[in-house]
Amino acid sequence: MEVPGLIIVFAQDLDKIASLKSEFSRKKGHVDTQLKAALATQLKVTQSGIGAINDGQKILNAIREEMIKIDKLCSEAEDMIDEFPLINKISKIHRNFVAVEEIKSKLQGLDSRLAEVDRMLADDSGDSLGNEMPNLLPVHFAIMQLQDFKEDVMHQSERADNDVKETLESYFSPLENTVGMFDERVVIIAMGLIELIIDTEERSDEKVLALQEAQNNHQDLATRFKSIQKGPKVARGYKEKFLACVKAAAQAKFEAAKEQFEGDPEGLEQCLGWYFNDLRTVKTEFVQLMPRRWKIFDTYLEIYHNLMHDFLKDQIEKPDLDGQSLLNIILWNGEYNKGMKTLGVKAAELKPQLIDGREAELLKEYSQLIVKKMEEWMSKIMEDDTKDFILRTHQPNEEDSKWHMPSVPTMFTMINQQLNVALDSNKGNVVTGVVDECVRLLKNRQVRWQEVMADEINKHVKATTKEDLEDLPDGILEYMMAVANDQIRSAAYTQEISDRVAPMLSKKYEDQVRRALEDAMNGFVDLATYSLAQIIEIIFNDLKPPIKNLFTPAWYNGSDMETMATTMRSYIVDLSPGLDADLFPAFMHQLSEKTCVAYLGGVHNKGAKFRASEAAAQIRSDVAVGYGFLTEFVDRGEVKGVWTVLEHFLALICSEKPLLGEKYDAFKQSYWDLPVTWVEAVIKCRDDKSKDMLEIVRSRGTYVPRGGESTIMSRFVAPLVAQVIASVWFWWRCYIS
């Protein structure tokens, strides 16, 4: 848009300001008028209320003054009339006479009235709420009159002789039985229904209490006009009885819920299903039947809420409470809040709080219960497994021709059960906490297995005589395979848990759970690898004689490699059916590496000597035997990948002195962690060795960047102290030379 156009639009907007200002002023005036009118109305109402209060106060003061005047006139009248005391006394006697006549008449008709009430009660007999009880109100009215009559009579007889009192008590004793029957009927109704009869009694009680209070506050006036007083003298407390019945009925339901919950911890919500139904009925049905001042819903809510709080508190404080029950209580707290919301009640405002605000504490306690229980289970399982492993009184379990320990399926069933319970909490931190504890226990189990296997293998390795071996129980290989197989199965179970549990959580907790379970799976793989290595240790314990012969005079033109191959083949034939198919390739790879390492380690044998004219031929023969044996079970390419190192080994043995440094460099390039100490040992075994050859190797200082993974030659790396000593010795020799 061009600039002139912008100016025109801006000018048009400025023209609108006046009209907008006028419109806003008009609206403001309208609003101000409404506010003033509303304020004037409210002020008028307030002033009217204040005026009414002032008028009421004036009337009250006027009444008080008139009452004082009346009292004064009465006192003066007594002095003005000479015979006033006598007249007053005669008047009292007359009133008392009339009252006594009335009492006499009622006493004479007491039996017939009680008989009529008993008849009506009998007609309404029955404990079922389905009984209509048509005589209930007439009975109640009659009993009220009889009770008022009894209380009047007993009150007036307070100054009478004991004989008179006892006589009156005997007259009224049948009334107690009748009242008791009626009270039972009221209890039956109050346990499930609210009736207007209670309101009548409450009003009567209020009159009694008001009269008693007035008498206490104005004792001097009361005594002046004292005569025979009629009406109830004792508060009968039917409202309190009703509320006590409501509480008793709810307590009975909670007792039933307690029994159901103890029998089925997962059914807490079902066994408390009546709770909100009752409160909903009170709110929708009872409120319109009750006096507003009763606040019947709030009354019921207070009773029910306190009982619920006590019920849950008792359950939580049980010393034998299990994790499932505790979690269901925690979950019920959330459902309770939702239920209260449907009733229009803010659960947070209820006192006391349902579980006393201890949800976080209880969640922590729940996690601790699970951990404690799982530690007990895992400890017992591990104890039984290691006992079987060490004693080996029977073979391990055989499933699909593969050896297994019997505990793994049971162990992961328990873990899944606990995780399912944790998932029911719908809280990621609870699930993550349980997963972390499960992983911790699994890793502890892995460490324990490694310790047990190391101890048992050590016993076999240290057995130097046939008698020592016979003292050891048979079946070590079967149990080693069972443990190795179990690690593969455990890793699979753990992966299933990860795939099932992690997606149910938020991204934050999902990543934590996956990392934790992956750590456990890596531990299973490592332990399986360790188990295979220990099996190979047993095999090579039997291969000590031929290995000791390597590169010694007895080795030349001998069959030590064939002996080794034959022994290993017999072991493999025995092992392969019982070892997990996924582990067998890994086992053969380790066996191939171990054979190669043992062969290369022969340079340290006592009497090892490489005769240039014969050593190369014998080594090639051994390699051919080893290749032939291993390729029966493993792909040739995989065997070659391990045994290629022997080509460099041959180069160190056979190369002329001028080419030795070059061959060493090539070896170092292929195997970055090649230790110079082992190379020196090879050169020292050559029959044409010389100091110059050693110096060639030591002085090369070939730098090769550190590789990613260690190579097979890392098996010959000397301990750190030995390397330091060798290095110091080398540089010392360089210095003195």
Side-chain angles (χ1 to χ4, degrees), residues 148-403:
D148 290 345
F149 172 58
K150 175 189 173 183
E151 290 169 4
D152 286 341
V153 172
M154 298 307 297
H155 178 71
Q156 299 300 330
S157 66
E158 288 179 354
R159 294 188 298 275
D161 296 336
N162 290 334
D163 292 342
V164 174
K165 292 181 180 179
E166 291 176 359
T167 301
L168 291 173
E169 289 288 352
S170 65
Y171 265 92
F172 286 111
S173 58
L175 176 61
E176 298 301 321
N177 295 332
T178 303
V179 172
M181 293 171 59
F182 176 74
D183 286 350
E184 291 178 2
R185 198 65 45 82
V186 171
V187 168
I188 293 173
I189 298 171
M191 293 291 281
L193 190 63
I194 298 175
E195 292 290 348
L196 295 176
I197 203 172
I198 309 300
D199 182 44
T200 304
E201 287 294 346
E202 188 201 16
R203 291 179 185 274
S204 176
D205 291 349
E206 289 175 352
K207 290 179 182 179
V208 171
L209 296 175
L211 177 60
Q212 291 175 351
E213 183 179 359
Q215 288 176 341
N216 293 334
N217 293 338
H218 307 284
Q219 190 66 35
D220 55 338
L221 291 176
T223 54
R224 288 188 186 180
F225 300 101
K226 189 173 181 181
S227 182
I228 295 180
Q229 299 172 353
K230 299 181 180 181
K233 304 298 186 296
V234 179
R236 294 164 196 155
Y238 271 96
K239 179 183 178 183
E240 286 70 25
K241 290 179 182 179
F242 161 70
L243 295 179
C245 291
V246 170
K247 185 174 182 179
Q251 281 178 327
K253 292 182 178 181
F254 274 109
E255 287 298 322
K258 176 183 175 182
E259 294 181 6
Q260 295 178 31
F261 179 58
E262 291 175 351
D264 180 19
E266 295 185 5
L268 179 62
E269 187 173 350
Q270 288 72 28
C271 67
L272 292 174
W274 53 269
Y275 185 87
F276 287 107
N277 291 337
D278 283 9
L279 291 178
R280 197 171 291 110
T281 300
V282 171
K283 185 169 186 177
T284 57
E285 302 295 338
F286 286 15
V287 171
Q288 58 189 350
L289 301 176
M290 295 291 100
R292 185 175 299 177
R293 66 181 181 278
W294 273 32
K295 298 180 180 179
I296 191 63
F297 176 70
D298 293 339
T299 302
Y300 258 84
L301 179 61
E302 181 181 359
I303 293 172
Y304 272 49
H305 178 74
N306 286 329
L307 290 175
M308 177 66 77
H309 170 269
D310 295 343
F311 167 73
L312 296 179
K313 184 178 179 182
D314 291 343
Q315 296 300 316
I316 290 171
E317 292 178 352
K318 281 187 175 180
D320 58 345
L321 183 69
D322 58 77
Q324 178 69 61
S325 300
L326 180 57
L327 178 61
N328 283 319
I329 290 173
I330 297 170
L331 296 178
W332 171 247
N333 183 50
E335 294 301 318
Y336 189 83
N337 294 341
K338 294 177 184 177
M340 284 298 168
K341 188 175 181 180
T342 63
L343 294 171
V345 177
K346 294 181 179 179
E349 296 179 357
L350 295 175
K351 302 297 180 184
Q353 293 184 18
L354 189 62
I355 53 177
D356 299 320
R358 297 172 56 196
E359 183 172 3
E361 176 190 342
L362 294 178
L363 283 171
K364 183 178 180 181
E365 183 179 339
Y366 159 71
S367 298
Q368 291 172 345
L369 278 175
I370 289 182
V371 171
K372 181 180 178 182
K373 189 62 65 177
M374 289 187 63
E375 283 181 338
E376 293 174 358
W377 292 337
M378 297 282 276
S379 177
K380 183 64 170 64
I381 288 173
M382 192 65 203
E383 181 181 347
D384 293 342
D385 282 353
T386 53
K387 182 179 179 181
D388 290 343
F389 187 94
I390 294 170
L391 298 179
R392 299 191 289 281
T393 56
H394 56 83
Q395 287 185 329
N397 283 11
E398 188 175 3
E399 301 176 22
D400 298 328
S401 301
K402 309 299 179 186
W403 300 114

Side-chain angles (χ1 to χ4, degrees), residues 30 78 165 318 345 478 517 548 599 638:
H30 181 66
E78 292 180 8
K165 292 181 180 179
K318 281 187 175 180
V345 177
E478 287 80 0
L517 293 174
K548 286 182 178 180
Y599 194 80
E638 185 174 342

